[in-house]
Amino acid sequence: MRLSRSFLPVLKESPSGAEVASHKLMLQAGLIRQTSAGIYAWLPLGIRVLRKIEQIVREEQDKVGQEMLMPTIQPADLWKESGRYDAYGPEMLRIEDRHGREMLYGPTNEDMITALFRDDVKSYRELPRMLYHIQWKFRDEVRPRFGVMRGREFLMKDAYSFDLDEAGAKVSYYRQLLAYLRTFKRMGIKAVPMQADSGPIGGKLSHEFVVLAPSGESEVFYDGKIEEVDLEREGLSYDDAEALETLFKEATGVYARTDETHEEQYWAEVPADRQRTGRGIEVGHIFYFGEKYSQAMGLKVSGPNGEIVPMMGSYGIGVSRLVGAIIEASHDDNGIVWPEAVAPFTVGVVTMRADDEATVAAADDIYKALTDAGVETLYDDRDERGGVKLGGMDLMGLPWQIVIGPRGLKDGVVEVKSRKTGERHELTVQDAIAKFAS
Ligand code: ATP
Ligand code: MG
């Protein structure tokens, strides 16, 4: 993409009114603009990151479930059936259509998926199933803040599992646990599963996945041993219930809690040299709640010996929150430092002198070669000062920069810089191309 033809509005000054780094940087680097409190438009740079994250989530979910798409707008009747309509409170955006029917903008989809499943699944032979969708949600948060991290409209992946019995439901839960660990690892972040409050339902399983960052809303306490869990070891397959259970025990058997569930008494048992504390951002939540919705909404299937009420679980990932959370975990004084897997572009090409013919010719060649090879490249071809362009590239956080100027070209070289390490290397035009377009 050529910057001269793009809508990438980079702000010269750090915007006021944003409390945390990710919010500031997302505004300044032109990823988002607020259109109402807690509601954002995703500009061209931002949507590329959001789509990358969404795609990683999708690919990992496809290994354990099937994608579908439920609507954002739901009928209130479904929520009355499950008994949640009144309980949900002012976070729910309630709407009336022209016929006076009560509707709502969905904050989550347990009720709807239970109804859909109930209407079409009749036999125990059709279980277990795992379904997911990636859809916008609305929650009228009292205090939307931190940009997309606590928005009112936000993109969530939510999955739902249906099993014949508790043992099966636990395996579904373990599958998602592994899928989540792999998902976050692919994004280049460390997300620790922490024991969550199972709330009013009680007695069941619930874990939150928390990314460590100083600006996190919760305080976290965990045993460093959790970092040793190997997700790629041999024999760890989604089809092997025993291996999954072993992984579950390893990943959740060590102390890891937020301030909501923290207990000094157990924390004291963690060896001091393994105690890790800090702040964290919840990016995912997995939950096994059993018969709650199937019971309330009359979901049952015929079994070999009578009727069975399926056991359910739900599994959320905050896709849009992750954009902010990843920045919180990965930025410096100059801007964002994208992990390569979620970067909007892999390479930024910069001309130091837009009025120098040789510079522009070399940059055009590099841009064309990289683009032809499928390398996602942002080309700052604007007639701007070199320093301004370099500052913009650092702010946008692309993993690599290729900087082209008359001085280097005289010696036949361009400069390749790693955003993360700051290391620079002089390479010939051909070598610079070959480094990325292999
Ligand atoms: P929180 O405690 O942060 O309010 P939650 O526990 O209410 O979140 P869940 O119902 O577990 O959220 O939703 C699943 C995921 O959706 C969360 O783990 C989070 O990543 C994301 N999420 C929830 N609320 C928001 C929001 N207001 N803005 C952006 N993402 C959100
Ligand atoms: Mg939660």
Side-chain angles (χ1 to χ4, degrees), residues 50-327:
L50 188 68
R51 291 287 176 250
K52 289 261 167 86
I53 292 173
E54 181 183 343
Q55 187 56 23
I56 292 174
V57 170
R58 175 175 290 115
E59 285 169 20
E60 295 304 318
Q61 286 294 303
D62 281 341
K63 294 173 188 168
V64 294
Q66 258 181 333
E67 185 169 11
M68 58 184 290
L69 184 61
M70 290 178 270
T72 54
I73 305 292
Q74 307 185 20
D77 283 347
L78 279 177
W79 288 66
K80 290 181 177 164
E81 242 189 287
S82 71
R84 280 212 288 183
Y85 191 61
D86 294 325
Y88 211 88
E91 269 199 8
M92 182 185 277
L93 181 64
R94 295 158 207 259
I95 313 166
E96 205 181 272
D97 73 10
R98 67 197 297 166
H99 304 292
R101 278 187 289 251
E102 291 175 287
M103 313 289 285
L104 57 100
Y105 194 132
T108 175
N109 284 72
E110 280 84 2
D111 321 73
M112 184 176 279
I113 190 79
T114 306
L116 289 168
F117 204 76
R118 174 196 62 203
D119 294 346
D120 278 292
V121 175
K122 303 294 175 199
S123 158
Y124 74 100
R125 289 193 188 86
E126 294 166 81
L127 293 179
R129 289 291 184 271
M130 175 80 77
L131 297 160
Y132 80 93
H133 76 158
I134 302 174
Q135 179 61 291
W136 293 89
K137 306 288 189 287
F138 196 94
R139 294 183 186 174
D140 205 351
E141 300 273 356
V142 180
R143 241 192 107 201
R145 57 187 184 149
F146 302 155
V148 298
M149 288 205 289
R150 183 164 298 285
R152 293 198 296 167
E153 188 185 52
F154 59 96
L155 188 60
M156 193 204 284
K157 182 285 299 180
D158 37 325
Y160 303 92
S161 61
F162 300 87
D163 280 275
L164 282 173
D165 52 25
E166 179 154 327
K170 282 186 172 165
V171 176
S172 294
Y173 189 89
Y174 304 156
R175 281 199 184 104
Q176 283 288 359
L177 179 95
L178 176 57
Y180 274 43
L181 291 170
R182 287 182 170 164
T183 300
F184 297 126
K185 192 170 169 213
R186 270 186 69 184
M187 291 174 193
I189 51 171
K190 194 163 76 184
V192 179
M194 304 207 170
Q195 189 175 320
D197 252 334
S198 27
I201 301 155
K204 303 275 201 290
L205 289 166
S206 178
H207 288 89
E208 286 174 358
F209 288 74
V210 178
V211 170
L212 304 174
S215 58
E217 286 185 294
S218 35
E219 218 178 327
V220 300
F221 307 82
Y222 71 97
D223 184 338
K225 195 160 180 246
I226 199 158
E227 282 157 19
E228 292 162 22
V229 176
D230 177 7
L231 303 178
E232 307 307 329
R233 63 175 173 241
E234 206 147 335
L236 185 53
S237 132
Y238 287 118
D239 297 326
D240 185 340
E242 219 172 289
L244 288 169
E245 189 176 356
T246 305
L247 172 90
F248 167 77
K249 285 185 176 153
E250 255 176 70
T252 64
V254 291
Y255 192 93
R257 300 192 188 185
T258 67
D259 39 22
E260 271 175 44
T261 51
H262 182 60
E263 282 178 89
E264 282 298 336
Q265 163 198 359
Y266 300 116
W267 178 234
E269 290 168 17
V270 178
D273 63 329
R274 293 204 323 236
Q275 288 187 355
R276 309 267 190 280
T277 57
R279 302 196 69 81
I281 303 162
E282 178 193 325
V283 291
H285 194 166
I286 58 177
F287 204 20
Y288 164 52
F289 47 73
E291 298 178 346
K292 183 177 152 87
Y293 294 93
S294 29
Q295 195 68 268
M297 301 184 74
L299 162 62
K300 47 189 190 295
V301 297
S302 63
N305 314 301
E307 279 178 342
I308 295 169
V309 177
M311 299 287 197
M312 292 174 59
S314 70
Y315 314 87
I317 290 183
V319 176
S320 50
R321 176 178 287 184
L322 270 163
V323 181
I326 292 171
I327 297 173

